[in-house]
Amino acid sequence: MLKDLSTLRIEAIEKVQANIFNEISLSSTDKEKIYLEFLDYFTNLNTSLLSDSIKLVNKTKQTAYIPFSWFARLQQCVGFIEGLIEYLAILDNIKNESGVELKVFESLPSLNWQSKFPGDDLDKLYLYLNNHFSDEDILSFEGFLEGQSWLEVKNAERGELQGRKLSRRNDEIIASSVIKVCSLIQENSGKIELLIELLSEKPSLRKFLEEKNTIPDGEVLRNTTSIEDKSIFRYNSNASKGSNKIYYGAPGTGKSHRINKITEQHCSYVTVFHPDTQYSDFVGALKPVMLAGANGDKKISYEFRPGPFTKALIEALNDIGKHVYLVIEELNRAPAAAVFGEIFQLLDRNMQGESQYKIEVSDPDMLLHIKENLKESDKFSELYLPSNLSILATMNSSDQSVMPMDTAFKRRWLFEYLPIDFNQAGDGSFKLTFADSSKPEVPWKVFAEVVNNTLSSLQVPEDRLLGHRFVSDEELTTIEEANNTLKGKILVYLWDDVLRHGKRDVIFNTSEVSTFGQLSHQFGEGRPIFSDTFEVKLLEALIEAQKVQEVVADEQPE
């Protein structure tokens, strides 16, 4: 029975995304085995084995590299590759035995595949399929000819798909689909076709690859020995690849906390962007300093004062075995592209995590400062981000003072959205006053969830809701402290920021209060401030929370 290509493709995509930062555990013996298989198949290529890649040199001495890190991506695609091989084997038999004109396959796959068969070729196809396959397998093969199950749609109106036609070699057909699944940028995807072709033709290598373990980014990789260079290359926990990553989400979702956890065991340089942040603050600039003269008098001189970027760069270049992090809080509160200046060009990284493109240092004072502080300054001539320097940033698009970031700048970053999760919220309660004079204690997480549900019903974007860490544990230690936090932090955020353009009456009793000053005073006096509808929602949520607590209590062993 034929496997469902659509399922195999989706599974491969999900595996690739889940393991996007992982490497594959390959010893020097493993790499030599792969290399020998490569040599055996590609007999006409001039190759050599390096510690982290296979080196290719063409007749004009141009060099290319196939990183072993690509195997981590291809490992997740083995099932999909084998599924395609199975379908293509059937296709080969159809070409050789059915009598269908080979020219037909120059137009396939196609969303309108049946219209591509001239004369009685479609009858010949179904005659062959009916004689060899079940109805279910025939349906699956029709999906293969249509193409949507294993290729991306290019133009639905014209029935066009993104991939090789079925008249091409099987390895080219497989590669055109698998490259998309691997999520490699276009400029790095070309040579991976060679590995896909190798896997297509070597079942033993596919089996070998499936049995290898992936290693999460940052863990220890085995030492490897190069055939070309017999020295030992050590990969340790500090040698993970450099990257540029932005953490974003609603205020209070733990973006800074996440970065702190990543960097706490590593060297890091932290800066905060604000509307007045400039290139000279971030990179550095020539600034005046007061020096003591020979006679004790003071004089003004000038020296280059490095910014956090230059400090982190020097640290990383001086110790390539140590991973260094440059942390930027509130990235989009400054005009980021202007602050980065020409550093913008360095954010494109290759498969090893270094800058894809190097640039000349435009500031001679900066160049002099870097060289004076490098252990091996003679090797530094162009500016680049080394593979042991990562840039992590936080961003909250709900801030009123944020600066827009252009597409060219954003595409050079990985983005990770941090969702709201009240299972991680702190404990603590507010004491509220309702219209019926009752004074219930409402837990912070219950209050916040009711607020968020109410705002969501108004189509308020998720990044303007209350995050689970919008208030800290210290701000909830007592009822008095929690109420002060509610009045001075949460209510002002809802009134002045989220609902500043209207709909305040959905949460607040605007018939009694029309300004935040009135709202704050009334709350401080212990009088009701919320709308009747919002009070009802809070009471319902309280009752539901109490029921959950009772169920949990009943399930606890005596």
Side-chain angles (χ1 to χ4, degrees):
M1 180 176 170
L2 288 173
K3 295 178 181 177
D4 180 34
L5 282 181
S6 179
T7 300
L8 294 174
R9 183 173 182 270
I10 291 170
E11 287 176 352
I13 291 171
E14 290 176 347
K15 288 179 181 178
V16 166
Q17 294 302 317
N19 292 278
I20 202 80
F21 297 111
N22 294 347
E23 298 291 348
I24 191 168
S25 174
L26 293 175
S27 65
S28 57
T29 303
D30 293 335
K31 293 176 181 179
E32 288 180 22
K33 172 182 172 62
I34 294 170
Y35 177 62
L36 292 174
E37 293 275 16
F38 194 90
L39 280 180
D40 179 63
Y41 186 75
F42 296 108
T43 57
N44 61 332
L45 295 178
N46 181 11
T47 64
S48 57
L49 177 63
L50 305 182
S51 65
D52 59 354
S53 60
I54 296 172
K55 180 180 178 181
L56 308 177
V57 182
N58 66 12
K59 293 179 180 179
T60 60
K61 304 300 182 182
Q62 291 178 315
T63 304
Y65 297 89
I66 299 178
F68 285 110
S69 59
W70 283 353
F71 278 93
R73 302 282 182 94
L74 290 175
Q75 183 189 42
Q76 316 306 327
C77 302
V78 168
F80 182 47
I81 291 172
E82 292 188 334
L84 287 170
I85 289 171
E86 189 177 10
Y87 280 82
L88 289 168
I90 296 172
L91 183 68
D92 287 339
N93 290 334
I94 291 172
K95 290 178 180 179
N96 295 327
E97 301 172 16
S98 69
V100 173
E101 288 288 336
L102 295 181
K103 192 174 180 63
V104 171
F105 301 102
E106 295 177 3
S107 304
L108 299 177
S110 170
L111 300 180
N112 312 314
W113 68 273
Q114 289 183 327
S115 65
K116 306 298 181 182
F117 284 78
D120 60 351
D121 275 358
L122 190 60
D123 294 333
K124 292 177 183 178
L125 172 69
Y126 276 112
L127 179 62
Y128 180 86
L129 292 175
N130 287 324
N131 287 336
H132 293 82
F133 299 100
S134 66
D135 290 344
E136 192 171 352
D137 282 348
I138 291 173
L139 191 63
S140 296
F141 193 77
E142 287 174 340
F144 172 73
L145 296 178
E146 182 188 47
Q148 280 195 90
S149 59
W150 58 285
L151 289 173
E152 292 183 9
V153 176
K154 182 178 181 181
N155 188 310
E157 197 173 307
R158 295 201 296 264
E160 296 176 356
L161 299 118
Q162 294 182 346
R164 303 287 192 186
K165 295 300 183 184
L166 298 183
S167 55
R168 303 292 290 267
R169 295 201 326 260
N170 286 355
D171 56 273
E172 292 178 340
I173 296 170
I174 293 171
S176 68
S177 179
V178 174
I179 282 174
K180 293 288 186 182
V181 172
C182 283
S183 295
L184 287 171
I185 58 176
Q186 193 61 37
E187 59 211 44
N188 286 334
S189 63
K191 297 303 177 184
I192 201 172
E193 291 189 15
L194 296 176
L195 294 187
I196 295 171
E197 181 179 347
L198 185 65
L199 287 175
S200 301
E201 299 297 327
K202 297 273 188 178
S204 60
L205 191 57
R206 294 198 299 272
K207 188 174 187 301
F208 164 79
L209 192 58
E210 277 195 302
E211 292 172 352
K212 302 309 295 181
N213 295 321
T214 54
I215 300 179
D217 185 30
E219 292 188 7
V220 178
L221 298 183
R222 303 179 189 180
N223 292 341
T224 59
T225 306
S226 166
I227 289 177
E228 185 180 52
D229 181 354
K230 294 296 183 181
S231 61
I232 298 295
F233 293 81
R234 297 189 181 275
Y235 296 85
N236 56 44
S237 60
N238 293 323
S240 53
K241 292 189 300 183
S243 61
N244 318 313
K245 193 168 189 179
I246 294 173
Y247 295 89
Y248 72 106
T253 49
K255 299 181 285 292
S256 298
H257 178 73
R258 172 70 66 87
I259 289 178
N260 185 58
K261 285 295 183 184
I262 294 170
T263 61
E264 62 183 354
Q265 301 298 324
H266 300 277
C267 175
S268 63
Y269 292 83
V270 182
T271 186
V272 181
F273 277 12
H274 54 81
D276 291 330
T277 302
Q278 299 178 13
Y279 174 86
S280 57
D281 302 313
F282 182 55
V283 177
L286 200 64
K287 295 185 178 181
V289 292
M290 189 71 74
L291 299 176
N295 301 322
D297 56 330
K298 294 183 179 181
K299 61 179 181 179
I300 295 176
S301 182
Y302 291 86
E303 66 179 33
F304 183 84
R305 296 277 188 88
F309 170 81
T310 305
K311 291 177 182 177
L313 178 64
I314 292 171
E315 186 82 34
L317 290 172
N318 274 332
D319 188 353
I320 60 172
K322 174 172 69 176
H323 205 95
V324 178
Y325 290 91
L326 174 59
V327 178
I328 304 171
E329 296 282 358
E330 308 291 350
L331 176 68
N332 61 334
R333 289 180 67 84
V339 173
F340 272 75
E342 76 269 19
I343 306 302
F344 171 90
Q345 182 75 4
L346 306 182
L347 296 178
D348 274 320
R349 298 192 187 241
N350 60 24
M351 292 302 295
Q352 286 73 43
E354 288 187 353
S355 292
Q356 181 81 22
Y357 311 105
K358 297 181 179 181
I359 61 174
E360 292 185 4
V361 183
S362 59
D363 185 345
D365 299 306
M366 177 185 179
L367 178 61
L368 179 63
H369 176 84
I370 293 175
K371 286 197 169 189
E372 286 177 345
N373 287 275
L374 285 183
K375 295 176 182 177
E376 299 181 7
S377 59
D378 57 314
K379 295 183 179 180
F380 183 83
S381 59
E382 293 180 302
L383 199 60
Y384 72 100
L385 300 181
S387 61
N388 63 321
L389 175 58
S390 290
I391 306 176
L392 305 181
T394 65
M395 184 178 84
N396 179 12
S397 57
S398 70
D399 286 340
Q400 294 179 24
S401 60
V402 297
M403 305 284 185
M405 292 193 297
D406 60 70
T407 303
F409 185 80
K410 287 195 291 186
R411 76 169 182 81
R412 287 167 166 81
W413 298 78
L414 295 168
F415 284 76
E416 181 173 335
Y417 179 76
L418 298 188
I420 298 170
D421 181 8
F422 282 104
N423 290 322
Q424 301 180 44
D427 294 323
S429 299
F430 307 121
K431 191 164 188 177
L432 307 180
T433 302
F434 284 178
D436 62 359
S437 299
S438 62
K439 296 181 180 292
E441 289 188 8
V442 181
W444 146 244
K445 60 181 67 177
V446 171
F447 179 84
E449 285 186 296
V450 173
V451 168
N452 286 351
N453 291 337
T454 302
L455 295 177
S456 296
S457 69
L458 299 176
Q459 306 299 312
V460 172
E462 192 171 358
D463 62 0
R464 297 181 68 82
L465 304 183
L466 299 176
H468 51 274
R469 303 298 297 181
F470 189 90
V471 295
S472 65
D473 293 337
E474 291 74 19
E475 294 172 312
L476 298 168
T477 50
T478 64
I479 290 289
E480 183 181 2
E481 188 70 37
N483 273 23
N484 286 336
T485 301
L486 176 60
K487 180 174 71 171
K489 185 173 182 177
I490 301 172
L491 296 183
V492 69
Y493 172 68
L494 295 174
W495 185 277
D496 282 346
D497 287 343
V498 182
L499 300 173
R500 65 196 300 250
H501 297 299
K503 302 292 185 180
R504 287 171 175 159
D505 59 315
V506 175
I507 291 179
F508 301 108
N509 184 0
T510 53
S511 63
E512 295 290 332
V513 293
S514 58
T515 67
F516 180 74
Q518 293 174 352
L519 178 79
S520 177
H521 177 74
Q522 190 143 320
F523 179 78
E525 292 290 314
R527 288 185 283 172
I529 61 169
F530 297 111
S531 68
D532 293 341
T533 305
F534 188 73
E535 285 187 2
V536 170
K537 289 180 179 178
L538 280 176
L539 286 172
E540 290 174 348
L542 270 176
I543 293 169
E544 187 62 32
Q546 289 168 357
K547 288 180 180 178
V548 171
Q549 287 181 344
E550 290 170 2
V551 170
V552 172
D554 290 341
E555 291 177 349
Q556 294 294 325
E558 295 182 3

